[in-house]
Amino acid sequence: MKAALVLSFDTTSLQQQVHEINLMLNNISTGFSSVELWLFYKDRKPEFFPEISCPLSDIKLIKVDNAHSPESYLQLLVHLMGQYPIDLLMFSSDGSGEELATRLAYRLNGSSCLKVEDCSLTSAKLEIIKPVYGNNLTARFVLESSPYCLSVAKQPCSPVKMTQMEFLKMETITLDQTQPWWVKETLTILDPPKTGLSDADLVLVVGQGAKNKETVDILKGIANTIGAQFGASRPVVMNAWADMNRLIGASGLIISPKLCIAAGVSGTGVFSVGIKSSGFIVAINIDSKARIFQIADVGIVGDVQAVLSELEKVILVEKDKKDSSHGFIEDRTQ
Amino acid sequence: MTLTREAIVEHLKNIVGKERVITDEQVLKENSHDRYKKFETIFGVYTTPIPAAVVKLADTNQVSDVLKFLNENKINSVAKTGGTATEGGLETIVENSVVLDGSQMNQIIKIDETNMLATAQCGVNLGELEDRLREQGFTTGHSPQSKPLAHMGGLVATRSIGQFSTLYGAIEDMVIGLEAVFPNGEITRIKNVPRRSCGPDIRHVIIGNEGALCYITEVTVKIYKYFPENNEFLAWALDDMTTGFKILREVMVEGYRPSVARLYDAEDGTQHSFDQFAEDKCVLMFMAEGNEHLARATAQGIAQIVEKYDECRKIDSRLIENWFNHLNWGPEKIAEERELIRKNLHIGFTTEVSGNWDCINTIYENAIKRIREEYPHIEDLTMLGGHSSHSYQTGTNLYFVYDYDVKDCKPEEEINKYHIALNALIVEETLKAGGSMVHHHGIGKYRTPWTKQEHGSAYYILKGLKDQFDPNGIMNTGTIYPVE
Amino acid sequence: MKIAVCFKIIADYDRLSGKDWEWDECRFVDMSFVRRVFNCFDESALETVLKLSRQLENVSDTVELTALTVDDEQGDLFLKHLMAVGYDHAVRICCNNRLDLRFNPLVISHLISRYIKQEGQKLVVLGMQGGEGDNGQTGFLVAEQLGWPCIREVIDVVRAESPDCLKVFSRIDGAILKQTIKLPMVLIMGHSLNSPYLRVPTLRQKLNAKKKQLTIVSNIELGLDNDALLNKDKTLMDLYGQKPGKSCVFLEGKTAQEQAQRLYDQYLKERLS
């Protein structure tokens, strides 16, 4: 079975996307006769490449004229598939990967599936595992028709390194692309700089149990003083109590800090998937029956603001102690 | 001579220590109102005078000392624990009021398994007490929607009622003994005995006083054995409320005591998604609970009664059970409601009344009819319905529920344009038919225009209590008793 | 302009407890005892289009809104609700109940696009993902079948100067993309902060909606027989529940202060250093 990994060089999360694909490759790459990297780029031809966990047979660098137009990518992919047929294409976990996987499979009469957590070859059939029912269950499917187009599931942040790949066969592909005539005007408004939330060691995630924007603001302050990054559940973001780039869960960020404090979140399936691989989870909720306690290591039944304000005090006192003890040692050395 | 705001704060700090006297602007604003003015406060408008301070009380002696000071200086007090009041009882309508916050008096003092008693300070959260009891196989039997937030003191002060009242009774049936402090600082304890014939039952001077007579510091309630494994839900769809009331009466009169007995009209049912299984129908539901034999017999007996009525179609009881398990209001629900109000300018209110069996249907029909015909902003209503959720041998309650889009008015005008006007029509129709204008929220500060009419000649007794215990009128002015 | 919004009704998963996640021999999870709700992204799509139609009507364009779902009779109540809040047509595509359409976005998109072709809508809006299948593919496939451009992760859409265009805001890698797009198009709604919830109809609107007729169309009427509805794309082999939960240690403490101190001393101290 021939496989290709389809990625865009210019995306901000390329290294993370490759990490996610690598996880998938670990279980299946032995079944492949060859693995190619199909890498789209816009202006500058890539010189460094993300570290992929299995040997590559080939890298195809594909120039795309209009980076915002899925149609351009699709045309290129259809063309490439005509020239170099591939049995399995793996796409990134982002919206672009999902769109391309779905639409390409449709155009080529193949099978596609998104948010794939695992895949394997069982007697020449491709089996995949993906979440269903709002991340409350997972399902195993056999995909029936090749080419198989998969987009992989999001995983906690662990970006791979970029390296040079000098000894590899590399091919540059430039093709004429029709312009998307239906787009009359385009403007991009850049997001604020990345928060550091996705790879933080300590994260405070707040849910609707925080009650209102004022309390959420106080909790943001507490996160700041205790040195935690701040995350939020979907209702909190939809209420505009926190920015969209703070969203944790299936449709936001998947995080795995060493320590995650989940405060006032009820713990729905779509939320829990966002934090469940954290090293240690502390849950605080007024409702002792809240589902969040099922994935927590330690639970406190109580008012979120009250407990966190006290925790802030404790941490500040401890910090003071440490600082003053350092001061003491310094005094003696003088 | 009246004390200045600053002097009040200084004195309070001397009495309880400065860390217990809160004067933070935002905290004071939050403490100037309750859920009655939820609309304007969500939009950051506070029309009620801001209290001088919130005092976080530590113990009964502090309550006594603070009250004595306020009484001597004629400073108005507002008693508060969990803060889930809905009728303006916690509004600080008098300038420089002092909010007496008992939420830190939160110790469960004793669970007495032999005598089946639980004693708790006023600031103990009911949910917490209930969880503790359930771990030991007991229950208070008290389960209002506010359970996750409400505290024992406030529940007793407002004559609260829970969802299982038809079996366990309301709070006044549960309270065995109390400790309360009167404005002159007098600390009174009513002892815990099963029953006595020693003069009038003085517990009832304290239960339901809404902070207008005294401050409740400690409560002892009876407890029950808890058998959730025997719970059995039963539900039917039916065409109209008249039949529903008839069945409720029959169930009660036959002597059955389900813990839950509820009847929803079609319109009210919609907001609970009952239309998904009983479109355009009323829904009647029961829960049988308690020890195995009683629960089973109760369920069987009720089913036998209902099945005589051809109009009733059985509903999958799991639907009702699932709904019922998600009925309580925790902080998340309140947050969700706030956001819906803020985003959609859409809000809901309720008015709960009661009546004997012979007039309850009249109250229901007349109130709805009058709103439909007379209320000038009916076009803004998105829902108008009601349900009965607490039944007695002699009658039942009615919970009118109405939602509306707030249109063409400022945040602070909303309550007058909508809730106050709708509430008035319901109260008038209820009193006209011979019912009671308040079933379980307390009178608060907005149904006081009808307090005298509610009590009639017996208002003499009610008035006597105020004159006797709060001659200086410092106890939650404007609550229960109209401002003269 | 004719606009269609496709939506899905799902069980409110938040009301299922761990033990409720069980399935029968056909791997169907029984949720008949749980209330049903609009899928959240579809709810945003429905409200966004209502707001858009107000804008379009202000410039005297006639707007005809259709709400479309593939469901059994249980969908009717939601369709009536949508008629009450302002949808002109409420359409339910019904299929043989025994067919498993949960993991078959291809067939769902066939049904939708056939209806759209028949009725001549110029804009189709759908939510980006919805249970039970969580496929996240229906919108893309509708676009493919109609041969229309498609914008994913849309957060808002408003009127453009030119009547045959719309201004579409969508989320892309590291930015928000604002594009003026010529109709027809398929929009796939993501997280919409402007319109997270559907509006509530008034009593009068509800009453009026009761008089209106729903449109029920079968797959056969759309030219797809039952055989065409089978999932030839993938086969469901098995379902798995959540792994058993951790055994959470609850920290006792009479006050928040005690709880916080205990949390710090026993668990956080070592981890925060």
Side-chain angles (χ1 to χ4, degrees), chain C residues 151-170:
Chain C
I151 314 291
R152 64 166 192 270
E153 291 176 70
V154 172
I155 54 176
D156 206 1
V157 51
V158 296
R159 190 173 66 84
E161 262 96 81
S162 161
D164 62 347
C165 290
L166 291 172
K167 267 187 204 155
V168 181
F169 296 79
S170 65

Side-chain angles (χ1 to χ4, degrees), chain B residues 58-91:
Chain B
D59 55 39
T60 304
N61 288 332
Q62 280 194 355
V63 177
S64 170
D65 294 344
V66 171
L67 274 177
K68 210 188 291 173
F69 159 71
L70 298 177
N71 193 38
E72 279 163 8
N73 293 283
K74 301 203 171 146
I75 300 161
N76 183 51
S77 71
V78 174
K80 176 175 183 169
T81 50
T84 61
T86 56
E87 304 298 326
L90 298 180
E91 285 181 16

Side-chain angles (χ1 to χ4, degrees), chain A residues 65-172:
Chain A
D65 296 340
N66 189 327
H68 296 322
S69 166
E71 192 54 45
S72 303
Y73 295 88
L74 283 165
Q75 279 180 10
L76 290 165
L77 286 169
V78 170
H79 182 87
L80 283 171
M81 285 292 281
Q83 271 191 316
Y84 318 95
I86 293 285
D87 305 298
L88 187 150
L89 295 109
M90 272 192 203
F91 292 82
S92 58
S93 63
D94 62 352
S96 169
E98 296 188 338
E99 174 163 6
L100 297 180
T102 307
R103 299 180 73 175
L104 185 66
Y106 179 83
R107 291 187 189 188
L108 301 175
N109 289 318
S111 294
S112 62
C113 212
L114 313 184
K115 301 182 190 346
V116 175
E117 289 177 346
D118 199 2
C119 65
S120 58
L121 280 165
T122 319
S123 49
K125 293 226 167 194
L126 184 70
E127 285 200 348
I128 65 101
I129 300 251
K130 78 174 285 282
V132 294
Y133 284 98
N135 291 73
N136 287 289
L137 300 177
T138 44
R140 182 162 57 91
F141 295 97
V142 164
L143 299 193
E144 301 294 349
S145 344
S146 91
Y148 310 112
C149 299
L150 311 180
S151 85
V152 301
K154 280 193 267 191
Q155 300 288 348
C157 184
S158 175
V160 300
K161 288 198 193 97
M162 298 294 278
T163 59
Q164 279 179 308
M165 294 193 185
E166 287 159 8
F167 310 107
L168 211 66
K169 188 180 142 199
M170 222 173 284
E171 205 176 334
T172 308

Side-chain angles (χ1 to χ4, degrees), chain A residues 208 212-214 216-217 220 232-244, chain B residues 339 342-343, chain C residues 192-194 196-197:
Chain A
Q208 196 155 232
N212 53 45
K213 178 149 196 335
E214 292 73 39
V216 170
D217 287 340
K220 281 180 196 165
S233 71
R234 187 172 190 270
V236 168
V237 171
M238 295 315 274
N239 290 345
W241 297 347
D243 292 335
M244 187 58 79
Chain B
E339 285 310 307
R342 206 167 58 84
K343 285 216 167 75
Chain C
S192 163
L193 288 174
N194 287 344
Y197 312 112

Side-chain angles (χ1 to χ4, degrees), chain A residues 10-13 68 70-71 74 94-96 98-99 101-103 106-107 110-115 127 129-145 181-191 194 202 208 226 234-235 237-240 244 247 251-252 258-259 261 268-269 276 278-282 284 288 291 293-303 306-307 310-311 314-315 318-319 322, chain C residues 13-14 16-18 21 23 27-29 31 40-41 44 102-103 106 109-110 128-129 131-138 140-141 143-145 148-153 155 165 167 169 171-184 190-193 195-197 231-242 244-252 256-261 263-265 267-269 271-273:
Chain A
D10 301 296
T11 175
T12 55
S13 48
H68 296 322
E71 192 54 45
L74 283 165
D94 62 352
S96 169
E98 296 188 338
E99 174 163 6
T102 307
R103 299 180 73 175
Y106 179 83
R107 291 187 189 188
S111 294
S112 62
C113 212
L114 313 184
K115 301 182 190 346
E127 285 200 348
I129 300 251
K130 78 174 285 282
V132 294
Y133 284 98
N135 291 73
N136 287 289
L137 300 177
T138 44
R140 182 162 57 91
F141 295 97
V142 164
L143 299 193
E144 301 294 349
S145 344
W181 50 267
W182 53 88
V183 180
K184 298 293 171 200
E185 201 188 340
T186 306
L187 182 79
T188 49
I189 307 153
L190 286 182
D191 288 345
K194 288 215 166 173
L202 172 60
Q208 196 155 232
I226 66 172
R234 187 172 190 270
V237 171
M238 295 315 274
N239 290 345
M244 187 58 79
L247 176 64
S251 56
K258 288 188 185 128
L259 172 60
I261 304 174
T268 59
K276 69 176 178 204
S278 301
F280 192 81
I281 299 176
V282 179
I284 307 168
S288 60
R291 274 178 66 191
F293 291 120
Q294 289 171 15
I295 61 160
D297 297 280
V298 169
I300 291 181
V301 179
D303 179 71
V307 174
E310 292 299 336
L311 185 65
V314 174
I315 290 176
E318 293 291 324
K319 223 173 111 191
K322 249 187 229 163
Chain C
Y13 299 146
D14 298 350
L16 288 160
S17 61
W21 290 101
W23 47 92
R27 302 193 180 89
F28 275 94
V29 181
M31 299 190 181
C40 62
F41 299 109
S44 283
R102 289 176 296 171
F103 309 107
L106 190 59
S109 65
H110 270 302
M128 70 172 178
Q129 188 184 340
E132 306 144 316
D134 283 336
N135 303 299
Q137 296 185 297
T138 308
F140 299 132
L141 294 168
E144 281 295 314
Q145 285 165 40
W148 293 0
C150 150
I151 314 291
R152 64 166 192 270
E153 291 176 70
I155 54 176
C165 290
K167 267 187 204 155
F169 296 79
R171 207 167 278 285
I172 55 166
D173 176 43
I176 287 170
L177 187 63
K178 181 182 166 191
Q179 301 180 96
T180 305
I181 312 258
K182 194 173 180 315
L183 292 157
H191 300 283
S192 163
L193 288 174
S195 310
Y197 312 112
N231 197 338
K232 296 176 185 113
D233 194 41
K234 52 180 161 315
T235 311
L236 175 64
M237 305 305 286
D238 215 346
L239 286 177
Y240 308 93
Q242 298 277 13
K246 295 182 183 175
S247 46
C248 179
V249 180
F250 283 94
L251 289 183
E252 296 293 325
Q257 202 254 329
E258 268 182 49
Q259 289 173 323
Q261 189 68 52
L263 176 66
Y264 183 83
D265 293 343
Y267 299 97
L268 300 194
K269 201 170 189 170
R271 291 183 168 84
L272 285 174
S273 55

Side-chain angles (χ1 to χ4, degrees), chain B residues 290-357:
Chain B
N291 101 23
E292 175 187 6
H293 308 292
L294 280 170
R296 199 188 307 136
T298 305
Q300 281 173 357
I302 291 171
Q304 214 170 52
I305 289 173
V306 183
E307 269 146 26
K308 287 189 308 197
Y309 293 81
D310 292 337
E311 189 183 318
C312 299
R313 176 179 60 81
K314 193 128 177 46
I315 291 168
D316 182 350
S317 61
R318 295 176 309 160
L319 280 160
I320 301 300
E321 187 173 355
N322 189 274
W323 164 77
F324 196 78
N325 289 339
H326 295 90
L327 201 54
N328 278 347
W329 278 73
E332 275 150 44
K333 270 252 185 85
I334 289 183
E336 202 179 309
E337 186 205 27
R338 277 176 64 98
E339 285 310 307
L340 277 171
I341 293 171
R342 206 167 58 84
K343 285 216 167 75
N344 294 5
L345 300 184
H346 183 260
I347 191 169
F349 264 103
T350 60
T351 296
E352 23 66 68
V353 302
S354 70
N356 292 339
W357 294 120

